[in-house]
Amino acid sequence: MSKNKDNLKSSRVLSLVYIAMFSAVITICAQLQIPTAIPFTLQTLGVFAAGGMLGWKRGTLSVLVYILLGAVGVPVYAGFSGGLGRNKSFDR
């Protein structure tokens, strides 16, 4: 019985590590910008990679962790910005 508990605990820890790792991947991809007439980031690639590699449940959790980190003010969004009140269109 103890072996099943250890496997379950190991599986949960591994899932948390994967979710955190792909939140970091999305953060890194958000900082990589491709300059064109309308600049865009590779953040979408990170989101789809998380969903494709982790599955829809863990991929969604990794994106939610990324969004929550940015919402509380950690500078994870493009241009190292973060927070709910941050909007560049109102800056003058």
Side-chain angles (χ1 to χ4, degrees):
M1 198 71 158
S2 176
K3 193 170 189 172
N4 280 341
K5 285 184 180 181
D6 289 340
N7 284 341
L8 183 61
K9 196 174 196 179
S10 171
S11 174
R12 287 181 184 169
V13 170
L14 194 58
S15 289
L16 289 174
V17 168
Y18 285 147
I19 290 167
M21 184 178 69
F22 271 93
S23 294
V25 167
I26 295 169
T27 300
I28 292 168
C29 288
Q31 305 310 321
L32 301 174
Q33 295 182 359
I34 298 175
T36 59
I38 300 173
F40 62 95
T41 65
L42 295 178
Q43 180 179 10
T44 307
L45 174 70
V47 169
F48 283 120
M53 292 180 169
L54 298 180
W56 73 271
K57 288 181 183 178
R58 289 189 289 178
T60 301
L61 284 173
S62 68
V63 173
L64 286 175
V65 167
Y66 169 75
I67 291 171
L68 288 174
L69 283 172
V72 297
V74 179
V76 295
Y77 297 147
F80 294 106
S81 63
L84 290 177
R86 181 78 174 130
N87 190 344
K88 290 184 180 182
S89 64
F90 294 117
D91 290 343
R92 292 184 185 224

